[in-house]
Structures are given as C-alpha cells and as structure tokens.
Amino acid sequence: MGTLELGLLYLGVTLVLLFSGMPIAFALGASALGFMYFFMPPMNLELLAETLYGELDNFTLLTIPLFIIMGAAIGKTRAAVDLYESAYRWMHKMPGSLGVANVLGCTIFAALCGSSPATCAAIGGMGIPEMRKRGYSDALATGLIAAGGTLGILIPPSITLIIYGLITEQSIGKLFLAGIIPGLLLAFFFAAYVVYRASKDIRLANEALAAGNPDAYSAPVVETYSWRERFEVLPRLLPFVILIAVIMYAMYGGIGTPSEIAGIGAFGAMLLVALVYKCYRWMDVRAIFLGTAKESCMIMMIIAMAFLFTYVMSYLRITQSSAEWLASVEMSKWAYLFWVNILLLVLGCFLPPVAIILMVTPVILPGIIANGFDPIWFGIVLTVNMELGLITPPVGLNLFVIKGISPDIKNREILRGVVPFIFIMMAFIALLAVFPEIVTYLPNKVGS
C-alpha cells in the first residue's frame, strides 16, 4: 500500500471514529494504535509508554492546569456579574451600551480564564437575560455572546496558543504577545457592530413610534447612572485589573517562564476569590479543584493521544509526504494560505480547536514556513479560524453553550445572530493577511 493510500485510510478511520461520538482522545488513540499494530514493527508497541512519557515530559505543559485553575476560580464566583455590571455602568450613554458591556466583559474574562466556553457561559448567563429584558433582539443578544466568548482562545492566556506553541516549538510568550492586539481589535470590531446595530434599531423604533405604531419594532432601552453609581462598582473591578496587570508584567517583563507565571496567576486568582468573594470554604475550593482536574485530564489525554497520532503519521511518512506534496503544488503563497483557511474553516465546523491544531498543524506548517509566512503570525490566524469553528454549525461549541443558557430561544435565531460575527471574523483574517504587523508588532518590539 502506497503512502497516499495509507494516509487516506488513516485519515478516514480517524474521522469515522471522531464522528461516531467517541471521545476525541480515545478516537485518536484507537486509530493510532490500530495502525501501529498493522503497519509498524511490534517494538513500537512495546515502547508505547516510554514514547508517551517522553512527549508529555515537558514542563511547559504545567501552564495548562494552572491557567485552568485561574479560570475556574474566577468562574465559580460572581466575578462575571461584577465585570459585566461595572462595564455597563461606565458605558451606559453609548448606543447599545449593554451589548458593548457584554463584549468588554467577555474581553476581560477571556484575559482571566483563557477558555471560550467558560467565557461564553459566565458572561452569557447574566448578559443574555438582561439584554432581552432591555429590548435587544434574541438574535443580537445570543450572537454577540457566542462571538464574544470566542475571545477566550485568542486573548492571552490562551490554552489554544499554549498547545500551538508546544506542537510547533514556538515561544509561548511571543504567541501571547502576538494575541494581544488582534484580540483587542477583534473585540473592538464586535463592539462597533453592536453600536451600529443598536443605533439602527433605535432609529427604526423611533420611526415606528412617530408613525403611531409603537409595537412594530423593539429597540434597546437606554438607562442612566450617576457618577456615584459608577464609582461604587470600581472596587469590585479593581482586583481583576490588578491580577491581569501582574500577569502581563511578569510574563512580558521577563520575570519568569510561562509555567511560573501561570502559577502566579493561579495563586492570585485563588487569593482574589477568597478575599473578595469569601470563597475559602472546603466545598467552594473542592469545586474549583475538581473542575480543574476534569478539564486538565481531558486536555492532557487529548494531547497525549494526538502526540501518538502524529508520531504514527511521521513514522509512516504521511506527514512528510503530505508536506512535500503541498510544497510541490503550483500555486502562489496567497493561494496556499487561502486553501489552508478553507480547510480550517471546514474542519472547524466538525472538530474542536485542540483536535484540529494537534492533527493538522504538523501537515500544513511546513508549507506555511516555505511560503515565507511567520509561524507566530500563523498561530494567530489559526486561532481566529478556531474561533470561527466555535460559532459555526453543526458542532459549534459556543452555540451549544448559548442554547443551554437560553433554551427557549430557537436555534434559527441563534444562528441568525452569529452570521454577522462570522463575516466580521472572516474579514479580520483577511486584514491580518494584508497587515501582518498587527500580529508581529508586539513580539518584535518586546523581543528586540
């Protein structure tokens, strides 16, 4: 059997197992073990435990559970509500201020937890009911939370960027730096769309009111807050700002490694929730550590089996042959990048970000580098593609989170709400391609 046939068979078996509903780690592991048994010497099976241990014996992997602890500690408290309330009171005069406050809340929470579903659930649980109560359409309320939640894997600390850095042997610190400006810029575009949409809804509602038909169109309700009411929420917001500032300063000031900074973040988050939210009882701490253990074990299992999966691909020369074939295809660098983005978009509709990064990156990255693209820059482009996958059906994880928060909202309304944000993110990928300095400015500035 030739390498092409073997590669197609390997991919086909893996996809069948993934789409069967089997957990990702078991699907990757079962496929890899099957091909090791039939197509590789028995010695490789005997050395399986040593191979996996060697791949996982990486101190940088410690950042994953530590950042998850940080996110879990924040997520188990009223932190999301306080972030949301503080942002709303300070921006209440802006059209669509409540929607913008939700985007800002997602941005800050993303910088604290690094998880898109957690960001989506934490902010959406409070934000969606409040927006619906104040005249926002179901589509806009759910769409902006689903899209805002995706910022969790772009704004550092990001578990996705950590995994990409590990698999490509790129600096995690530089990847985190590279994600700051794109993350904030994408959040700005989300907020700008919300302002535009709210302004349009208010105008249409006023026209309907002037025509004597006030029930024809609903629009966001505008509320006002005094300076006293705005300042009284700042003490709740200040600890989060301090925690983010400490993490950023320690990480980019060269004080410690990513693993050490993750430890600072985890300790700071636990201290914060204990002091501010009185979350120091055993049942509270147990819930944080139990949730962390479950999510960390899941991610570590996926990483271990993905390492095994790529090891088999490399041993059978599937990765090398695929890279050689991609390099030999007559197309421009931009055509290559276009088709890579199409591939990532399609895979994102069916597979979670971690699986895509671990399975696909070893194949496409050699072509990316050969065409002169910066691997740090591509890590951000890849992450934005993964964000798209979180809000595209049929397996958009954030869509399921939104449905869980608001089960009475119809699926078609949720899908209608995310469509504008899908186009914004596609345009954003094109913007990053035309102006790569958006991504590379901070890594080059700090690294120089």
Side-chain angles (χ1 to χ4, degrees), residues 233-420:
V233 297
L234 284 184
R236 291 280 185 175
L237 182 63
L238 190 59
F240 301 110
V241 176
I242 294 174
L243 180 60
I244 294 173
V246 168
I247 292 173
M248 294 299 178
Y249 175 75
M251 185 175 298
Y252 307 128
I255 293 178
T257 65
S259 302
E260 293 165 344
I261 305 308
I264 293 173
F267 176 78
M270 292 296 295
L271 185 64
L272 187 152
V273 298
L275 295 177
V276 178
Y277 298 99
K278 312 301 179 186
C279 184
Y280 47 73
R281 300 175 184 85
W282 167 241
M283 291 303 296
D284 298 326
V285 176
R286 180 178 180 273
I288 292 172
F289 286 148
L290 189 60
T292 299
K294 288 180 178 179
E295 188 171 350
S296 299
C297 288
M298 176 192 69
I299 293 177
M300 291 300 186
M301 278 292 292
I302 293 174
I303 291 174
M305 293 302 103
F307 275 135
L308 184 62
F309 181 83
T310 54
Y311 168 72
V312 174
M313 286 182 67
S314 178
Y315 188 93
L316 298 177
R317 288 199 54 81
I318 297 171
T319 304
Q320 297 90 324
S321 298
S322 301
E324 290 169 2
W325 177 79
L326 287 171
S328 67
V329 175
E330 292 293 333
M331 66 172 77
S332 68
K333 58 183 288 187
W334 298 113
Y336 179 82
L337 182 64
F338 172 80
W339 288 112
V340 164
N341 278 284
I342 294 297
L343 172 66
L344 294 173
L345 177 62
V346 172
L347 290 176
C349 293
F350 301 99
L351 298 175
V354 174
I356 296 173
I357 291 172
L358 293 170
M359 289 173 59
V360 177
T361 303
V363 176
I364 61 177
L365 190 63
I368 289 292
I369 296 174
N371 279 290
F373 294 110
D374 184 346
I376 297 290
W377 169 85
F378 180 70
I380 303 304
V381 172
L382 174 66
T383 303
V384 178
N385 273 287
M386 298 302 97
E387 289 186 271
L388 267 171
L390 290 169
I391 59 173
T392 49
V395 195
L397 184 56
N398 281 15
L399 302 181
F400 291 112
V401 174
I402 294 295
K403 187 63 178 177
I405 294 171
S406 305
D408 59 314
I409 299 179
K410 296 179 180 179
N411 286 331
R412 68 170 178 267
E413 288 298 309
I414 298 175
L415 294 176
R416 191 162 66 88
V418 299
V419 167

Side-chain angles (χ1 to χ4, degrees), residues 56-77:
L56 292 176
D57 186 20
N58 188 333
F59 193 70
T60 308
L61 283 172
L62 187 61
T63 57
I64 294 175
L66 288 174
F67 277 132
I68 290 175
I69 285 178
M70 189 173 77
I74 303 299
K76 295 293 182 181
T77 64

Side-chain angles (χ1 to χ4, degrees), residues 44 67 78 105 150 190 228 383:
N44 290 277
F67 277 132
R78 284 180 50 84
T150 66
F190 288 167
R228 178 179 175 276
T383 303

Side-chain angles (χ1 to χ4, degrees), residues 23-65:
I24 296 170
F26 296 156
L28 295 175
S31 175
L33 285 173
F35 275 75
M36 287 180 74
Y37 179 80
F38 287 107
F39 298 102
M40 295 171 62
M43 182 185 300
N44 290 277
L45 280 173
E46 296 173 5
L47 297 175
L48 179 61
E50 184 178 340
T51 301
L52 288 178
Y53 179 81
E55 294 290 355
L56 292 176
D57 186 20
N58 188 333
F59 193 70
T60 308
L61 283 172
L62 187 61
T63 57
I64 294 175

Side-chain angles (χ1 to χ4, degrees), residues 105-130:
C106 287
T107 305
I108 298 174
F109 198 86
L112 288 166
C113 78
S115 167
S116 284
T119 303
C120 192
I123 304 298
M126 179 70 179
I128 292 176
E130 291 297 322

